[in-house]
Amino acid sequence: VTATPVTADVTEANAFARRIAGYKDRVERVLERALSLPDPGTDRLGEAMRYSVLGAGKRLRPTLVYLTGEALGAPLPQLDGPAAAVELIHVYSLVHDDLPAMDDDDLRRGRPTCHRAYDEATAILVGDALQALAFAVLAEESPSGPSAQLRLEMIRVLAAATGTSGMAGGQAVDLAAVGRKLPETAIEDMHRRKTGALIRGSVVLGALAAGVSGGPEFAGLERFGAEIGLAFQIQDDILDVEGDPAVLGKSTGADAAHAKPTYPSTVGLERARLRARELRDTAIGALAPLGHRGAALVQLANFIVNRAS
Amino acid sequence: VTATPVTADVTEANAFARRIAGYKDRVERVLERALSLPDPGTDRLGEAMRYSVLGAGKRLRPTLVYLTGEALGAPLPQLDGPAAAVELIHVYSLVHDDLPAMDDDDLRRGRPTCHRAYDEATAILVGDALQALAFAVLAEESPSGPSAQLRLEMIRVLAAATGTSGMAGGQAVDLAAVGRKLPETAIEDMHRRKTGALIRGSVVLGALAAGVSGGPEFAGLERFGAEIGLAFQIQDDILDVEGDPAVLGKSTGADAAHAKPTYPSTVGLERARLRARELRDTAIGALAPLGHRGAALVQLANFIVNRAS
C-alpha cells in the first residue's frame, strides 16, 4: 500500500462504487430476463420467484463474476450467464434457509421472507425452481463465449458449490451445530462450505467464463475466492452481533437466538475481526499473479471486511 | 400386433422382465457410486440421501434412458450418467413433495418418508443436494460418450424438465388445484408438467446420450416420451383409487383425502382407463421411425398402463 493523497483515494473509491453499482444494475436486467418465464407453472410461483430474486440484495456473487472476468479480459455479455446463475443459487439457498424447519426467519433484504409473503409450499418450490433455472442459464446456448468444455466445467463447479461439498453440506453442519460449542477449525469448515464455496465458485466461474482454467492466475483466483468467502461469512457473523438492523435489512442477534455457534461466539469479537483481516490479506496476496489487473478485486476484498451491511 | 403362440409371449415377457431387472440393478450400482460422497456435510445428510435414493423404487426413468439409448445403439456405460441423473431428480421431487407443507405423506416406497425417518430440515436439504448431484453427474468428465455440446443439451433438457416449465411448475399447479374442479385439459396440462416432463426428458436424454438429437427418430421418441409420461400419471391416479397399498408401497386414497382433482375424479375411472390406453397407442405409433428397434419401448408402454404398482 503506497501513500496517496486523500482526494485521490476518494476519487478512486467513488469510481469503484460506480463500477459496482453498474454490475448490480446489469445483473438485475439479466435476472429480470431469466425470470420472464414463458411458463411459470402458476402466476403465484412465477411471482414468488421474482419477489425473492429481484429488486434487492448486494449482488456480491455476480459482482465477483464480473470483476474476475473483466480482470482477465472477458467482455461483459460473456459474464452475464454465470453472474445470474450464482445469484439464483444464492437466492434459492436464502429462501430455503429461511423456512420454518430451517432458520425460521421472517425478514430478508428488508422484506418478509418468501414463505411469509407467500406460503411454505411455494417457498420450497421457489428454491427448487431457482436451482434448476441456475443450471439452465449456465447451459444456455450462446454463439460466443467459452467453449462447451469450459461451460461443462462451470456447471461442475456450480454443482459442487451447491451440493453436499458446498452450501447444502454446510447448512447441514450448521443445523447440527445448534446449541453446541465447536472448535474454531470446525466453524471455519462450516463457513467455508455454507458461504465460502459459492463465493469461491463465483470467482472461479468468472475465470472460466474468461477462458482461464489453469495456471498461476487461476490458482491465485481460486485461493482469493476461498479466503474472501470465509472472510465474508466472519464479517456476517460480526454484523449479526453489532450491526444495525435498519442498514442490514434483517434482524440481528439471530445467531445467538438460535444458539448457533459463530465465529464471534467461539473466539470473541476481537479475534473474529482480526481473523477477517488476516484472511483478506491472504486473499489479496493470492492475487499477485494478476499484477495490476487484480486492483479491483483488492478493493472488493477491502469492502467485504469493512462493510456495514 | 401379430398373433403369436402363448408360450412365445411368455418367453418374450420373461426376457423383457429380466432386461428391466438388469437395468434396475445397474442403475442401483451407479446411484450407489454417486452417493458415496467424499464429503456429505454431515453423516446425517449423507445417510438421509442414501436412505431416500437406494434400495427401492421402480427406476422407470433410468429404464427409459437405457431402453432408448440401447435402441439407438449406445453402449450401456454411456447411459449410466443420464440414467442416474433422472432418478436423482425424481427422488428429490418425491422427498420435497412428501414434506408437511406439500402433500404431507408418511409412507413412500414402503418406508417412512425422508422427513419422517429424519427431520424436515434434513429432507429439504436432501432434495436440494440431490438436485445439485443430478447436474453434477450429468456434467461429469467422461473420456467417451456424447460430445460436450450434446451434454450441454442434456443439461438444458433436464433443467427444463425440473423447473417451472416441468416438475416444479406442475407441482405448483397441483397445489393450487386442491379443492377445485378442473377441466380435463387442465388436469392433462398439470400431469404433463408434474410427471410427464421428466419421463419425456428421460427418453430424450437416452436419445441424446446415443448421439441422436434430431430427425424423425428423435421427434418420434420425444412424442413417445410425452404421451407415455401422461399415460403413466393417469395410471398413477387410477392406482390411487383402486390399487393395493401393499403392492404400491404407499397409502392409496391420498388424492381424494387431499381433495386433489385427478383424472379419475374428473372424468371417471372408465374414461381414465380409456385415455391411458389411447395415449399408449399414440406413444407406440410415434415409435414407427425406429422400426423393430422400438420393440422394447413398446413393451414398456404396455407395462406402464397395465402395471399394478
Side-chain angles (χ1 to χ4, degrees), chain B residues 3-17:
Chain B
T4 44
V6 172
T7 49
D9 273 5
V10 170
T11 311
E12 202 188 317
N14 285 344
F16 184 67

Side-chain angles (χ1 to χ4, degrees), chain A residues 99-101 114-116 118-125, chain B residues 100-102 120:
Chain A
L99 284 167
C114 183
H115 68 276
R116 282 283 176 188
Y118 293 85
D119 56 76
E120 251 185 272
T122 301
I124 295 168
L125 289 174
Chain B
M102 302 269 238
E120 252 185 271

Side-chain angles (χ1 to χ4, degrees), chain A residues 267-292:
Chain A
V267 301
L269 266 175
E270 208 34 64
R271 162 102 188 99
R273 282 195 204 98
L274 197 71
R275 183 77 181 116
R277 288 195 204 106
E278 227 174 66
L279 288 160
R280 174 201 57 190
D281 294 342
T282 312
I284 291 173
L287 294 174
L290 278 86
H292 70 280

Side-chain angles (χ1 to χ4, degrees), chain B:
Chain B
V1 181
T2 55
T4 44
V6 172
T7 49
D9 273 5
V10 170
T11 311
E12 202 188 317
N14 285 344
F16 184 67
R18 274 197 305 278
R19 188 167 167 191
I20 301 297
Y23 292 145
K24 210 173 144 177
D25 287 350
R26 185 177 180 96
V27 78
E28 190 75 18
R29 290 194 301 272
V30 180
L31 290 167
E32 169 73 48
R33 212 157 50 230
L35 289 161
S36 301
L37 301 161
D39 215 357
T42 61
D43 291 345
R44 191 176 175 80
L45 178 60
E47 257 178 56
M49 290 171 75
R50 297 172 60 86
Y51 173 85
S52 302
V53 175
L54 299 176
K58 288 182 288 293
R59 312 302 189 197
L60 168 70
R61 293 153 191 82
T63 296
L64 280 166
V65 173
Y66 285 126
L67 281 177
T68 306
E70 283 211 296
L72 299 173
L76 282 171
Q78 206 157 305
L79 303 167
D80 286 337
V86 293
E87 187 67 11
L88 291 168
I89 291 288
H90 174 55
V91 175
Y92 118 60
S93 79
L94 298 180
V95 171
H96 279 188
D97 286 1
D98 286 339
L99 284 167
M102 302 269 238
D103 295 346
D104 195 14
D105 279 320
D106 297 333
L107 205 58
R108 169 70 69 183
R109 294 178 167 177
R111 298 182 300 186
T113 47
C114 182
H115 67 276
R116 282 284 176 187
Y118 293 85
D119 57 75
E120 252 185 271
T122 300
I124 295 168
L125 289 176
V126 163
D128 292 349
L130 289 177
Q131 180 172 179
L133 186 59
F135 288 105
V137 164
L138 218 45
E140 237 168 45
E141 278 185 281
S142 68
S144 67
S147 68
Q149 283 296 353
L150 277 180
R151 289 164 75 209
L152 282 174
E153 175 66 14
M154 287 163 69
I155 289 164
R156 284 193 288 272
V157 168
L158 191 67
T162 302
T164 55
S165 60
M167 231 170 54
Q171 176 70 359
V173 176
D174 194 1
L175 290 168
V178 167
R180 290 171 54 203
K181 187 124 187 93
L182 294 187
E184 186 175 345
T185 51
I187 299 270
E188 281 212 7
D189 174 64
M190 175 176 93
H191 282 354
R192 281 190 189 275
R193 289 161 179 260
K194 197 183 155 165
T195 319
L198 188 57
I199 290 182
R200 176 181 166 283
S202 302
V203 175
V204 172
L205 256 59
L208 293 171
V212 175
S213 60
E217 288 183 345
F218 185 78
L221 284 165
E222 264 192 311
R223 181 77 195 274
F224 170 80
E227 302 305 291
I228 212 63
L230 180 53
F232 177 86
Q233 184 56 48
I234 292 177
Q235 182 62 16
D236 226 52
D237 285 1
I238 293 171
L239 289 172
D240 193 61
V241 178
E242 58 172 27
D244 177 350
V247 178
L248 286 168
K250 62 180 179 185
S251 345
T252 55
D255 294 331
H258 288 109
K260 284 196 176 181
T262 66
Y263 223 89
S265 78
T266 305
V267 300
L269 265 175
E270 209 33 64
R271 163 106 188 97
R273 281 194 205 99
L274 197 71
R275 183 78 180 114
R277 287 194 205 106
E278 227 174 67
L279 288 160
R280 174 203 54 190
D281 295 342
T282 313
I284 290 173
L287 294 174
L290 278 85
H292 70 279
R293 286 172 304 147
L297 289 169
V298 170
Q299 284 182 286
L300 192 76
N302 283 314
F303 166 77
I304 280 176
V305 295
N306 295 326
R307 72 201 168 93
S309 76

